[in-house]
Amino acid sequence: MRLHVRSVLDVAHVLGGKEHILDMDEGAAVGGLISLLLARYGDPLEALLLQSRDPMELLPHVKVYVNGRGVDFIDGLYTALRDGDDVLLMPQIGGG
Amino acid sequence: MIAGGYTGRILRANLTTKTFAEETLDERLAREYIGGAGFGIYYLYHEVPAKADPLGPENKLIFASGPLCGTDAPCASRMSVTGKSPLTGAVGMAMTGGHFPAELKFAGYDAMIIEGVADEPTYLLIKNGKVLFRNARHLWGMSSFDCQHFIKNELKDEGLRIACIGPAGENLSRLAAIINERHAAGRKGLGAVMGSKNLKAIAVRGDDPVPIADKEAFTKAKTRMLKAMKESPVLYPAFAKLGTPMVVEASWGLGTLPAKNWTATGEWSPNGRIDVESNDKHRVTNEYCYQCPVGCSQLKMVRGGKHKGAVSVPEFESMYCFGSHTGVESLDPIILADRICDELGIDSISAGVTVGFAMELFERGIITAKDTDGLELKFGNGDAMVEMIRKMAMKEGFGALFADGVRAAAERIGGDAGLYAQHVKGLEMPGYDVRGLKAHGLSLATAYTGADHNRGYAFQEVFGIPEPYPVDRFAIEGKGKLTRWNQDARCVTCDCAPMCAFLMDMAVPGIALENTADLVNGVSGLGLTPREVELAGERVNNLAKAFNTREGFTRADDILPARLMTEPIKEGASKGQYIPQEDLDSMLDEYYEDRGWTKDGRLTKGKLEELNLRVVAEELARAGLI
């Protein structure tokens, strides 16, 4: 399946851009996507996203959205992904 | 006698008689309203009669800070300006920062109440307890920046801090702002109220430090807050370096950046146009408010092209109102538009939103080049935007038609124009497409000032901050209760204590009320509990509601623009989202119930008495309003 992965600020810098198209096997979940990204981008990305790698736990201020909805309100890192999904990795932002 | 934090004095200046008086701050007022917006709304309710003409002699302007302002509590140089809004007819309250608020305390006053109308252009000089009414005929017509410079030069005092109006305020544009330094009490047309009083400026200077009641307790509270700021995952270095334009990134991510008068949210991309990278290329330096270690204001300059050399401090809202909202793709005209708004003294958000509204009317053929003095008001035309803003502030040519905002312009144009006017209660919409941020939408619908993002900012939805609890931004249920908390906690913490609103989100969201209580108690010795602090916020919001009730506002006014209630967002991460009437009704029902109001949104005698607002309850009961 093909995913639209987006991010901003430091996370985007590490990924080399704000928008990416990624192919993954059917049945993958959000946790699997993050593992794939960690395998490609290593420690710099882990430092920005994770509190713990095993078991995987996001930093409290990092939010992941699938098709606009926070995964905290779906199935967290177990949220299933489908072809065409839009996944947003969002570090904390403030102001406004 | 309050032991510290407050100067204990309120200045009342009458422009009609050119007289002034000092009043003693009542400790009950301090305990129940804390300061800032609390003081402003207290005096507005009790001293400005119902149905007063906002631009007439009965309206007043109340400038008020709070007990933390002028101390070395971080980020507390904030001040409210309150009056009846000529833009909305409701409570007009706007906050400003910089150095003027602290200087007013050093000059000896917790608040000043401006009343009457001067018989000629006048400015006030307030210096260490002396108050002078000075002729301002030679300043009339001057830009806000020149006015500040001229008064300092004339009085040979570079240390003066000055709040003033520009030509927009003099011309009684209902979008006019009050400018101090590069800051603004920008929204709700309070600059027009100042203009209606023939008051060009207020210059303040003082040398009296603000006394601290309990230095040990204050230091302890301050240390905890500074620690929270240091531990924030975003304040340093990101926010200090990038400032509020960071929010462009969140809005793009969430698909909530309104574009082209809210027709193209999620379709129009800010990337490479108004995002943080684009902003950073124009950044010159940071500017700091008094006792702020962050310095989020980013001074930016146009570095080439026909606007080369233009300098301003455009915030996120400027990226929205002059950028995505108008479809303008370059920062250069945005920086220039922001500069012109400050110079001419017109609210940037309302001005930009009004331009975007006019652009949609132009694209639809509702107005043509014959109506716009030949300007091609198409989305994306930055030059036309800048020229239209100037014409609005000067009420020149077709600018006069739009100088009072989108609601007034839609009424003047007639037909379907009102369908495209983005406002609540007459106040133009800020830069959050709340179709994808439901609590934020409910707050805009119910805030006592109209579509005002600062009265109940739903940081839980915009930034995912899980305080006081995490929320799903698309959900309807639970948003009434959350909005009540956001409005009351933010009111007392940011608008009354006062404190920069950004700290509420980024440093102390989980301890906001406790933090405010400890800081206020440290400086004042008032001994307030966090619950009493929260109740003060609730009291202020209820008193503001009472003012609006007296002016005729009802549940029918707690509504969102038609587009947001009928047209789903077409693209992006909020695709398909909107707030139909039944969803708004559901949220309003929950909100009113949590507020202790009736189902039709009316205040109740019981709630008002619970908040020690018995006199207000009696007055509204006599008028048949509760």
Side-chain angles (χ1 to χ4, degrees):
Chain A
M1 62 182 174
R2 181 154 285 190
L3 303 173
H4 184 205
V5 179
R6 298 184 299 133
S7 59
V8 298
L9 301 175
D10 287 353
V11 179
H13 291 158
V14 170
L15 298 184
K18 289 181 176 177
E19 298 186 74
H20 299 269
I21 301 295
L22 278 181
D23 290 320
M24 288 190 77
D25 292 337
E26 294 291 336
V30 167
L33 169 63
I34 292 175
S35 294
L36 176 70
L37 293 172
L38 291 174
R40 291 188 188 177
Y41 298 96
D43 292 345
L45 184 63
E46 183 175 340
L48 293 174
L49 295 182
L50 297 188
Q51 182 152 285
S52 146
R53 185 152 189 172
D54 189 16
M56 185 182 286
E57 195 176 342
L58 294 171
L59 284 163
H61 57 269
V62 172
K63 300 296 165 195
V64 179
Y65 299 81
V66 174
N67 299 325
R69 176 165 265 130
V71 297
D72 292 345
F73 304 96
I74 312 175
D75 289 319
L77 294 172
Y78 296 101
T79 299
L81 296 171
R82 292 178 179 79
D83 186 48
D85 277 352
D86 173 84
V87 182
L88 172 68
L89 306 173
M90 183 92 93
Q92 187 160 345
I93 289 175
Chain B
M1 180 71 181
I2 305 168
Y6 300 91
T7 67
R9 289 193 297 275
I10 291 169
L11 175 69
R12 187 181 291 273
N14 188 305
L15 292 162
T16 306
T17 58
K18 291 190 167 50
T19 57
F20 73 95
E22 284 186 359
E23 298 172 5
T24 301
L25 174 67
D26 186 338
E27 182 173 336
R28 186 188 69 83
L29 187 67
R31 294 187 70 84
E32 294 192 347
Y33 294 88
I34 311 295
F39 289 179
I41 291 166
Y42 177 86
Y43 285 108
L44 180 73
Y45 181 86
H46 290 288
E47 297 193 4
V48 174
K51 311 292 184 185
D53 176 1
L55 299 180
E58 290 181 321
N59 200 6
K60 301 191 181 189
L61 274 179
I62 303 108
F63 294 72
S65 67
L68 303 184
C69 180
T71 71
D72 59 354
C75 311
S77 184
R78 305 283 299 164
M79 178 182 74
S80 64
V81 184
T82 308
K84 182 177 176 182
S85 166
L87 183 62
T88 66
V91 172
M93 196 289 289
M95 299 293 294
T96 185
H99 292 259
F100 185 98
E103 201 70 32
L104 182 63
K105 292 284 287 286
F106 303 151
Y109 300 108
D110 295 312
M112 58 181 169
I113 303 166
I114 309 292
E115 49 193 31
V117 176
D119 58 358
E120 60 182 351
T122 298
Y123 77 91
L124 278 177
L125 172 62
I126 301 164
K127 194 168 178 180
N128 286 324
K130 288 182 183 169
V131 180
L132 294 174
F133 296 79
R134 295 181 62 96
N135 191 297
R137 195 178 296 277
H138 57 302
L139 304 173
W140 209 249
M142 208 175 266
S143 82
S144 67
F145 293 157
D146 287 329
C147 177
Q148 293 179 61
H149 176 76
F150 199 99
I151 291 174
K152 288 179 185 181
N153 195 43
E154 174 174 85
L155 300 176
K156 297 182 173 55
D157 188 347
E158 282 296 318
L160 285 166
R161 299 295 181 178
I162 296 159
C164 65
I165 56 171
E170 297 169 11
N171 295 332
L172 306 183
S173 159
R174 290 170 194 258
L175 307 183
I178 300 170
I179 306 291
N180 63 285
E181 302 121 53
R182 291 187 198 273
H183 296 265
R187 311 215 66 198
K188 301 114 201 172
L190 297 170
V193 179
M194 203 157 148
S196 75
K197 295 183 175 305
N198 263 329
L199 181 62
K200 177 68 179 178
I202 302 168
V204 296
R205 178 82 194 265
D207 299 314
D208 290 344
V210 178
I212 304 297
D214 185 340
K215 287 181 180 168
E216 193 178 332
F218 178 52
T219 300
K220 190 176 168 190
K222 195 175 61 177
T223 302
R224 183 178 64 176
M225 184 168 169
L226 288 168
K227 183 170 179 281
M229 290 170 68
K230 201 172 178 181
E231 290 173 352
S232 162
V234 62
L235 205 50
Y236 305 113
F239 187 65
K241 180 171 182 289
L242 303 172
T244 57
M246 280 177 85
V247 181
V248 172
E249 307 295 309
S251 299
W252 170 73
L254 298 175
T256 53
L257 184 65
K260 297 187 176 178
N261 202 35
W262 302 59
T263 61
T265 302
E267 297 172 61
W268 190 92
S269 173
N271 293 330
R273 297 167 171 168
I274 58 170
D275 58 359
V276 293
E277 288 84 3
S278 308
N279 269 273
D280 211 33
K281 288 175 190 163
H282 292 77
R283 180 172 164 270
V284 178
T285 189
N286 292 32
E287 290 194 337
Y288 295 79
C289 296
Y290 177 81
Q291 285 291 350
C292 172
V294 181
C296 69
S297 289
Q298 309 276 314
L299 193 76
K300 288 166 190 144
M301 184 167 77
V302 179
R303 299 187 186 278
K306 60 185 169 186
H307 305 314
K308 184 177 179 181
V311 168
S312 69
V313 284
E315 304 284 353
F316 161 69
E317 287 291 342
S318 305
M319 297 303 123
Y320 148 67
C321 65
F322 302 134
S324 61
H325 180 73
T326 56
V328 170
E329 298 179 358
S330 161
L331 264 175
D332 293 0
I334 294 173
I335 292 171
L336 180 61
D338 200 63
R339 170 79 180 199
I340 285 174
C341 283
D342 286 351
E343 283 184 346
L344 301 182
I346 190 167
D347 174 40
S348 53
I349 299 177
S350 285
V353 171
T354 303
V355 172
F357 165 66
M359 285 175 164
E360 182 171 358
L361 297 185
F362 190 92
E363 299 242 359
R364 288 180 176 276
I366 295 173
I367 58 173
T368 68
K370 285 182 186 169
D371 305 304
T372 64
D373 304 338
L375 277 184
E376 284 290 310
L377 266 180
K378 290 184 175 172
F379 285 122
N381 189 340
D383 289 347
M385 171 178 73
V386 169
E387 180 60 3
M388 181 173 169
I389 291 168
R390 193 189 65 75
K391 282 175 173 278
M392 286 163 61
M394 304 307 286
K395 284 197 173 175
E396 180 187 305
F398 89 102
L401 179 66
F402 291 91
D404 295 324
V406 297
R407 182 170 68 178
E411 286 168 0
R412 290 165 186 163
I413 293 164
D416 289 341
L419 293 174
Y420 314 115
Q422 309 305 324
H423 71 90
V424 176
K425 299 183 176 72
L427 185 66
E428 286 72 17
M429 292 288 279
Y432 300 85
D433 198 322
V434 295
R435 284 175 286 192
L437 304 160
K438 312 296 185 184
H440 212 42
L442 178 62
S443 191
L444 297 188
T446 56
Y448 62 81
T449 44
D452 190 340
H453 59 295
N454 282 317
R455 303 284 82 77
Y457 197 100
F459 56 78
Q460 304 85 357
E461 292 182 338
V462 183
F463 305 128
I465 297 170
E467 301 289 351
Y469 42 80
V471 299
D472 177 357
R473 69 190 180 107
F474 292 152
I476 297 299
E477 195 178 348
K479 298 303 173 69
K481 192 174 180 181
L482 179 72
T483 297
R484 201 273 305 154
W485 188 89
N486 279 340
Q487 290 177 344
D488 290 349
R490 182 165 288 254
C491 172
V492 71
T493 297
C494 306
D495 300 346
C496 297
M499 188 179 82
C500 175
F502 302 143
L503 277 295
M504 171 118 186
D505 305 349
M506 286 181 263
V508 297
I511 55 167
L513 296 168
E514 189 184 348
N515 184 66
T516 299
D518 289 350
L519 285 167
V520 169
N521 290 338
V523 297
S524 68
L526 283 173
L528 301 168
T529 64
R531 177 61 186 146
E532 286 174 312
V533 166
E534 184 177 18
L535 278 173
E538 186 178 3
R539 184 175 296 113
V540 175
N541 273 308
N542 274 265
L543 188 58
K545 170 81 171 178
F547 180 90
N548 289 350
T549 299
R550 210 169 57 179
E551 295 297 324
F553 287 84
T554 68
R555 175 171 177 144
D557 297 293
D558 291 347
I559 197 163
L560 291 165
R563 175 163 282 153
L564 279 59
M565 298 177 66
T566 56
E567 297 178 19
I569 293 176
K570 298 185 193 79
E571 291 295 337
S574 294
K575 184 178 178 179
Q577 294 293 319
Y578 70 121
I579 304 181
Q581 184 69 55
E582 57 267 31
D583 284 358
L584 181 62
D585 283 341
S586 177
M587 292 194 289
L588 283 173
D589 288 346
E590 184 189 314
Y591 172 80
Y592 294 146
E593 185 178 355
D594 201 59
R595 280 235 169 267
W597 300 346
T598 66
K599 203 171 174 64
D600 61 351
R602 288 178 179 227
L603 290 159
T604 61
K605 183 167 178 279
K607 173 52 73 175
L608 290 169
E609 289 182 348
E610 180 190 319
L611 295 169
N612 207 15
L613 293 169
R614 186 180 300 270
V615 173
V616 176
E618 288 170 357
E619 188 195 2
L620 294 183
R622 277 197 303 275
L625 294 170
I626 60 171

